[in-house]
């Protein structure tokens, strides 16, 4: 057993082994191996137990990282898991897919010179190990309350809220238009970052805790929002953002030009064993194709790496800024480069070219000019730099906007921001409609799983306060 801490001076940073690019690009399995018990304990022992832990401050859930690292280092794995699970509804998922370099690990004070503690990998190990040992059990409420709460959206925001409210004893009904539980965890994020069995394990746990799920049910179409408001004490909207942004370019109607979510959902469905119409006819399958992904965010990274695994002949990522100015995680860019993806920086598409389907993209070079109001340098086109990129599958990853819920939910009084996200009161998390709350991407715009969990937890607490205030 490792009792010592502060071992960062004699133990180097070591992440779980990453599978070799030449083998991992042939399958959809996760790219990191699991920590062995001894490596997890050893890596946790590198923590210097800071009095003011910046790792914790920069974790959106304010996870009690120093405490669970200390317990891990001492081999007290059950207690470590319990502390970790007390602030996070999905620690094994965050441990896998949080951009730790920008959050907890990026702010670990031993970063300079000694490299950070591998917080995310230890967090993942703790919960995977707890599942293996049968320490993870469904929530059992101490009191059963008669009030019923409705949650729209079974993504991480909705699920975190559902679990927290179930703990408090409420009857919870979750509605989702998808046929599976998990939102983007299941149909957005590819298997090589987060295996579906990990999401399904969480979903089973929530079902076993007594939460009711109504899948294949689109609110606003299959059931009206007003019906839900009448039936439940409170409603939480956690519907995420799904409206794909687009750029109007000549040739956009040609076959084999697809939005990123259509492409990723199809790939995830095929991996789950579903039949996908446009996959079998080749429109959503990159196999044998020259693929060009347009965009530089994390969704674009997921697309290029999926295309590689589907057996594309070539995969290019075209982005109008440069490596240092791209929104996607640099860790993901590195993975993609290792897997053979070519990045074409400072380039923007001008037209899709082809007769019966896309055959090439005409692109132009850009330079970064003066900074705009956000401080980012604006791309400026370089004259006479047009060139063609061979392409028989173009994937558009320009980002997402919220759907117009005011109309689909038929709620003209629902206040939205200038970006179309739902406006909520900062403290009560309530929307402009009494008893209606909102959480996750639909409030923040496209964000992160860990923030959706945080929002779901905060909303659950406020819903509890609201429902109780009505009983007084
Ligand atoms: P979602 O996960 O989008 O869930 C919303 C749910 O609401 C969905 O299940 C949807 O079907 C349902 N819904 C919508 N409208 C209705 C309706 N009218 N009726 C019923 N149900 C409805 N974040 C990370 O932290 N790390 C990553 O590596 C990462 N990778 C990503 C990769 C991709 C391709 C994408 C698109 C996003 C990624 N994200 C990542 C972001 C992350 O997935 C989201 O921030 C997070 O899932 C938001 O959670 P949410 O619960 O708000 O919404
Ligand atoms: Fe780090 Fe994310 Fe875990 Fe917080 S939830 S400790 S940010 S990996
Ligand atoms: Fe440990 Fe780093 Fe957090 Fe300090 S900042 S408590 S060293 S993990």
């Amino acid at each position: 057993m490792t009792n010592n801490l502060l071992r960062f001076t004699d133990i180097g940073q070591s992440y779980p082994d990453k599978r070799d690019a030449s083998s991992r690009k042939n399958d959809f399995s996760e790219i990191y191996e699991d920590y062995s018990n001894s490596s997890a304990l050893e890596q946790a022992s590198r923590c210097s137990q800071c009095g003011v832990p910046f790792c914790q401050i920069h974790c959106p859930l304010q996870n009690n990282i120093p405490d669970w690292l200390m317990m891990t280092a001492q081999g007290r794995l059950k207690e470590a898991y319990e502390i970790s699970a007390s602030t996070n509804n999905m620690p094994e998922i965050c441990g896998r897919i949080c951009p730790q370099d920008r959050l907890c690990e990026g702010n670990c004070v031993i970063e300079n010179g000694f490299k950070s503690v591998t917080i995310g990998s230890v967090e993942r190990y703790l919960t995977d190990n707890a599942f293996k040992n049968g320490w993870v059990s469904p929530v059992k409420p101490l009191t059963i309350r008669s009030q019923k709460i409705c949650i729209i959206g079974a993504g991480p925001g909705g699920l975190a809220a559902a679990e927290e409210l179930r703990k408090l004893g409420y009857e919870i009904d979750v509605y989702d238009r998808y046929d599976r539980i998990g939102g983007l965890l299941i149909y957005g994020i590819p298997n090589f970052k987060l295996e579906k069995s990990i999401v399904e394990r969480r979903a089973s746990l929530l079902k076993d805790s007594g939460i009711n799920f109504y899948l294949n049910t689109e609110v606003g179409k299959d059931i009206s929002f007003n019906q839900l408001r009448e039936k439940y004490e409170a409603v939480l909207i956690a519907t995420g953002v799904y409206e794909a942004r687009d750029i109007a370019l000549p040739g956009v109607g040609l076959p084999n030009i697809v939005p990123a979510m259509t492409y990723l959902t199809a790939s995830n469905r095929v991996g789950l064993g579903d039949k996908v119409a446009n996959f079998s006819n080749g429109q959503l399958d990159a196999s044998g194709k020259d693929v060009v992904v347009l965009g530089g965010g994390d969704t674009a990274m997921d697309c290029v790496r999926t295309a590689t695994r589907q057996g594309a002949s070539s995969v290019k990522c075209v982005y109008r800024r440069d490596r240092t100015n791209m929104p996607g995680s640099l860790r993901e860019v590195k993975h993609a480069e290792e897997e053979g993806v070519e990045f074409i920086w400072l380039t923007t598409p001008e037209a899709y070219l082809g007769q019966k389907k896309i055959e090439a993209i005409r692109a132009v070079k850009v330079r970064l000019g003066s900074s705009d109001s956000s401080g980012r340098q604006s791309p400026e086109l370089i004259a006479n730099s047009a060139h063609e990129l061979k392409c028989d599958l173009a994937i558009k990853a320009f980002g997402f906007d919220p759907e117009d819920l005011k109309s689909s939910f038929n709620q003209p009084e629902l206040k939205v921001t200038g970006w179309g996200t739902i406006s909520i009161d900062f403290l009560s998390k309530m929307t402009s409609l009494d008893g209606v709350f909102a959480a996750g991407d639909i409030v923040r715009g496209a964000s992160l799983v860990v923030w959706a969990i945080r929002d779901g937890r905060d909303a659950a607490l406020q819903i509890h306060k609201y429902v109780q205030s009505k009983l007084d």
Side-chain angles (χ1 to χ4, degrees):
M1 189 193 290
T2 313
N3 280 311
N4 295 340
L5 283 150
L6 292 127
R7 304 274 314 269
F8 63 92
T9 50
D10 60 301
I11 296 176
Q13 182 196 56
S14 172
Y15 283 98
D17 288 341
K18 188 161 72 165
R19 294 166 59 218
D20 185 62
S22 59
S23 91
R24 71 179 194 244
K25 70 179 192 184
N26 297 318
D27 63 52
F28 279 84
S29 302
E30 282 183 7
I31 71 165
Y32 284 102
E33 308 281 1
D34 298 328
Y35 261 151
S36 65
N37 179 271
S38 58
S39 329
L41 268 60
E42 196 172 73
Q43 288 300 309
S45 76
R46 297 180 68 239
C47 173
S48 67
Q49 295 290 294
C50 304
V52 181
F54 283 95
C55 55
Q56 179 170 10
I57 294 166
H58 288 272
C59 164
L61 292 163
Q62 264 82 66
N63 280 344
N64 194 344
I65 300 165
D67 278 7
W68 49 254
L69 286 174
M70 179 188 68
M71 288 174 183
T72 308
Q74 294 171 348
R76 295 156 63 190
L77 295 181
K78 188 160 188 244
E79 288 163 88
Y81 156 71
E82 279 163 2
I83 294 190
S84 146
S86 69
T87 51
N88 190 349
N89 303 75
M90 307 172 190
E92 75 289 10
I93 293 179
C94 292
R96 282 173 165 82
I97 58 163
C98 270
Q100 287 103 8
D101 49 342
R102 288 190 260 145
L103 301 170
C104 53
E105 293 179 19
N107 290 282
C108 170
V109 291
I110 62 166
E111 167 73 29
N112 282 340
F114 290 100
K115 294 190 175 164
S116 70
V117 177
T118 55
I119 302 167
S121 307
V122 175
E123 186 181 29
R124 164 190 164 167
Y125 172 79
L126 284 177
T127 310
D128 284 348
N129 180 60
F131 270 108
K132 260 187 219 149
N133 283 288
W135 301 334
V136 187
S137 47
V139 160
K140 282 198 189 70
L142 293 176
T143 342
I144 296 292
R145 299 176 199 267
S146 58
Q147 296 84 19
K148 291 172 86 173
I149 316 288
C150 162
I151 294 176
I152 311 172
L159 296 180
E163 187 168 50
E164 291 306 299
L165 286 162
R166 186 66 191 145
K167 273 182 204 162
L168 292 164
Y170 292 100
E171 192 171 325
I172 311 296
D173 290 349
V174 181
Y175 293 81
D176 201 294
R177 63 184 173 192
Y178 279 148
D179 54 348
R180 290 184 174 91
I181 298 168
L184 290 174
L185 299 176
I186 206 97
Y187 286 131
I189 302 174
N191 225 50
F192 50 83
K193 278 165 62 181
L194 173 65
E195 283 179 7
K196 303 301 162 208
S197 57
I198 306 288
V199 185
E200 287 167 342
R201 189 170 64 178
R202 272 284 150 198
S204 305
L205 209 62
L206 295 172
K207 281 195 257 177
D208 292 346
S209 74
I211 296 168
N212 308 307
F213 287 92
Y214 298 91
L215 301 177
N216 294 309
T217 309
E218 180 162 349
V219 176
K221 198 169 136 206
D222 302 312
I223 185 164
S224 81
F225 186 74
N226 280 337
Q227 276 174 283
L228 298 177
R229 272 189 92 187
E230 278 161 26
K231 188 171 167 198
Y232 295 94
E233 249 72 34
V235 176
L236 175 69
I237 305 175
T239 47
V241 289
Y242 285 86
E243 212 51 56
R245 286 188 195 142
D246 208 349
I247 306 178
L249 296 178
V252 74
L254 286 168
N256 289 15
I257 304 172
V258 295
M261 262 310 283
T262 309
Y263 173 69
L264 291 173
T265 305
S267 171
N268 280 313
R269 278 196 180 280
V270 169
L272 285 158
D274 295 353
K275 267 213 156 71
V276 178
N278 284 342
F279 196 83
S280 33
N281 73 15
Q283 282 192 30
L284 294 170
D285 181 3
S287 169
K289 296 197 173 74
D290 292 306
V291 178
V292 177
V293 175
L294 302 168
D298 283 332
T299 302
M301 295 311 106
D302 288 347
C303 291
V304 289
R305 298 179 67 205
T306 297
T308 305
R309 282 160 175 78
Q310 287 176 344
S313 302
S314 70
V315 184
K316 292 184 176 61
C317 179
V318 171
Y319 182 54
R320 62 195 180 132
R321 290 190 165 90
D322 56 11
R323 181 189 288 268
T324 31
N325 287 290
M326 71 180 297
S329 149
L330 289 179
R331 188 176 64 175
E332 295 302 310
V333 177
K334 193 162 168 271
H335 291 155
E337 281 178 329
E338 288 167 359
E339 290 162 13
V341 174
E342 185 187 345
F343 284 83
I344 306 187
W345 308 111
L346 295 167
T347 301
T348 193
E350 207 180 46
Y352 301 107
L353 310 173
Q355 296 299 322
K356 291 204 172 108
K357 61 175 186 58
I358 185 164
E359 287 159 20
I361 289 178
R362 192 171 66 235
V364 279
K365 299 298 288 175
V366 298
R367 72 169 76 83
L368 293 180
S370 46
S371 304
D372 61 17
S373 55
S374 69
R376 293 184 86 194
Q377 286 177 282
S378 307
E380 293 168 358
L381 302 186
I382 298 178
N384 303 320
S385 65
H387 55 286
E388 285 185 17
L389 300 168
K390 194 164 174 271
C391 168
D392 37 30
L393 175 62
I395 303 171
K396 301 180 286 184
F398 299 129
F400 303 96
D401 284 320
E403 287 160 56
D404 179 7
L405 292 184
K406 270 164 90 105
S407 353
S408 61
F409 286 2
N410 193 18
Q411 299 297 317
E413 305 300 317
L414 181 67
K415 215 169 133 199
V416 296
T417 66
W419 294 276
T421 48
I422 295 185
S423 191
I424 56 169
D425 177 73
F426 182 70
L427 290 177
S428 72
K429 313 297 174 196
M430 191 141 65
T431 67
S432 52
L433 307 177
D434 184 50
V436 178
F437 298 76
D441 279 6
I442 191 60
V443 174
R444 291 179 182 272
S447 178
L448 293 173
V449 168
V450 65
W451 277 115
I453 296 173
R454 168 66 195 262
D455 290 350
R457 293 173 69 89
D458 287 352
L461 190 63
Q462 296 307 322
I463 290 172
H464 175 52
K465 280 191 188 160
Y466 169 83
V467 173
Q468 292 308 305
S469 74
K470 294 273 163 188
L471 300 176
D472 292 342

